[in-house]
Amino acid sequence: MTFYIIRRLLLLPLTLLGISILVFLMIGLLSPYQRLATFINSPERLKGADIDKLVEFYGLNDPLPLQYGRWLKNIFQGNLGWSYVGKEPVYDALVERFPYTLELALFSIFPILFLGINLGVISAVNHNRPLDHGLRIFSVVGWSFPDFVFGLFILMIFYSVLGWFPPGNLSLWAEEVVKSSAFRSFTGMTTIDALLNGRLDIFWDAFLHLIGPVLTLTYVQFAFILRITRSSMLEVLQKDYVRTARAKGLDERVVINKHARRNALIPVATVSGQTIIGLLAGAVIVETIFNRTGIGSFMSLAAQQLDYASIMGGTLFFGLILVLGNLIVDISYAFIDPRVRLE
């Protein structure tokens, strides 16, 4: 497996190069004046400047291969252009907002996987019984619910009516504390930093602001994991080695957890991996509804305002997460099922 990981890591730059070519071809559809935003990393460069001279300076009328080389050089130097939405360089905007998306993903991943896998196993074990029918209905409703509908429902009930789970990242008083010099930022994730600073009040406030979006993501996403787990378990439970284990008189829990469940997790790992990648890439709708300043809401706003530099920089960032995420999912197969050999 070590050689497989090394080979995949060596192919990683080529994959990212391919992604960068596709992104640049998208940029090529824009006019030279629109592409200029992907080279300028400060609005000061545009004040009193002749736009035509800047276009000529960056060679935006040159053949595409030459333009691609200059653009790629800027990318390697961390210059992704200026974000009109974030009022700062695109690289800084992505780095600043990613911890909020990562924090939301971490709080959502564990309930999604725990509920999806365990309830899927329970549903399959109780096939065609009332519990199975109830869980299937529950999952179908959850998977059929659009994110924005369920998110607005959570916001209306738990904030507008009950006043429990406010939107945003933090309350105003907590945000002032976090931005003060007395509060040290270690990870950028408010809940973790609050614990490291010994501020349980800040942690609790940040946690309350996370409950609404986490509930929305969990119900919509775990329902799909539940359905995949149930289908995979039903298939595995019909295998000969499961029948043999039962014929030997093994306890049903041992049969389910040791022989059936682990072998049913291969397709679940694939779907779960893609779900996690999607969460890390930014839950656009959920972040927008709950007014969280993560990468998802940032990219949504950039698309609405045609902020080309932010869109292209975010696309490269998402491509990196997708490639690394797929590598981790492939490696996880060998740990889930010993029969899988990665060579």
Side-chain angles (χ1 to χ4, degrees):
M1 186 173 66
T2 303
F3 293 106
Y4 174 81
I5 296 175
I6 293 174
R7 187 169 69 250
R8 287 292 300 270
L9 289 176
L10 291 176
L11 289 174
L12 181 61
L14 295 177
T15 306
L16 293 177
L17 183 65
I19 294 174
S20 70
I21 292 174
L22 292 176
V23 172
F24 182 78
L25 291 177
M26 293 170 58
I27 298 177
L29 299 175
L30 306 175
S31 69
Y33 302 100
Q34 293 171 322
R35 294 202 301 274
L36 185 61
T38 63
F39 288 85
I40 301 296
N41 61 1
S42 171
E44 302 296 330
R45 298 286 307 278
L46 297 175
K47 290 184 178 179
D50 188 334
I51 301 299
D52 290 327
K53 288 184 178 179
L54 285 176
V55 169
E56 188 67 26
F57 176 78
Y58 286 107
L60 297 179
N61 289 318
D62 291 344
L64 285 180
L66 293 178
Q67 293 187 45
Y68 173 73
R70 297 192 193 98
W71 178 75
L72 198 61
K73 181 180 178 181
N74 275 357
I75 298 300
F76 284 132
Q77 293 175 349
N79 178 15
L80 299 175
W82 178 260
S83 170
Y84 294 103
V85 171
K87 303 294 189 296
E88 59 184 336
V90 174
Y91 177 83
D92 294 340
L94 293 174
V95 171
E96 179 183 332
R97 287 163 175 78
F98 180 65
Y100 292 108
T101 298
L102 178 61
E103 184 177 41
L104 176 59
L106 289 177
F107 275 87
S108 302
I109 287 170
F110 294 106
I112 288 173
L113 297 182
F114 178 81
L115 291 174
I117 293 175
N118 285 285
L119 292 182
V121 171
I122 293 173
S123 181
V125 172
N126 294 275
H127 182 52
N128 283 336
R129 296 175 183 172
L131 181 58
D132 178 34
H133 294 313
L135 289 174
R136 288 170 63 188
I137 293 173
F138 188 58
S139 65
V140 168
V141 172
W143 182 241
S144 303
F145 243 123
D147 289 1
F148 67 91
V149 174
F150 191 72
L152 290 173
F153 175 77
I154 293 292
L155 199 60
M156 179 181 65
I157 298 298
F158 291 100
Y159 175 61
S160 298
V161 177
L162 300 175
W164 290 354
F165 311 136
N169 299 324
L170 289 169
S171 300
L172 291 178
W173 67 267
E175 192 169 348
E176 291 179 0
V177 174
V178 170
K179 290 182 178 179
S180 68
S181 58
F183 189 92
R184 296 183 61 187
S185 178
F186 298 95
T187 65
M189 293 180 282
T190 310
T191 51
I192 296 177
D193 288 345
L195 292 176
L196 294 177
N197 281 271
R199 293 298 302 264
L200 295 180
D201 54 341
I202 302 294
F203 170 82
W204 181 247
D205 185 77
F207 180 74
L208 288 178
H209 283 76
L210 277 167
I211 291 177
V214 167
L215 281 176
T216 303
L217 288 173
T218 298
Y219 184 46
V220 174
Q221 297 294 333
F222 102 89
F224 185 55
I225 303 294
L226 187 155
R227 296 181 64 189
I228 296 297
T229 304
R230 178 183 179 276
S231 299
S232 182
M233 275 293 295
L234 287 175
E235 181 180 351
V236 169
L237 288 174
Q238 304 302 317
K239 299 293 185 179
D240 290 339
Y241 60 83
V242 175
R243 295 194 185 97
T244 302
R246 283 173 171 162
K248 290 181 177 179
L250 295 178
D251 185 77
E252 186 66 12
R253 290 185 180 181
V254 176
V255 174
I256 297 299
N257 294 323
K258 184 176 180 179
H259 295 276
R261 177 174 177 157
R262 188 171 183 178
N263 292 316
L265 287 181
I266 290 292
V268 177
T270 303
V271 175
S272 300
Q274 296 304 316
T275 300
I276 294 172
I277 292 170
L279 291 175
L280 291 176
V284 177
I285 296 177
V286 173
E287 286 187 352
T288 302
I289 289 175
F290 290 93
N291 196 28
R292 291 189 60 83
T293 55
I295 286 185
S297 60
F298 171 71
M299 291 298 295
S300 174
L301 195 58
Q304 294 175 39
Q305 299 189 16
L306 299 180
D307 186 351
Y308 300 111
S310 297
I311 294 172
M312 298 308 170
T315 303
L316 286 173
F317 179 77
F318 293 162
L320 176 62
I321 289 179
L322 181 63
V323 171
L324 292 176
N326 283 328
L327 173 61
I328 294 173
V329 170
D330 290 344
I331 295 174
S332 70
Y333 292 157
F335 293 97
I336 295 173
D337 190 345
R339 297 172 300 176
V340 176
R341 292 289 181 267
L342 301 177
E343 299 177 353

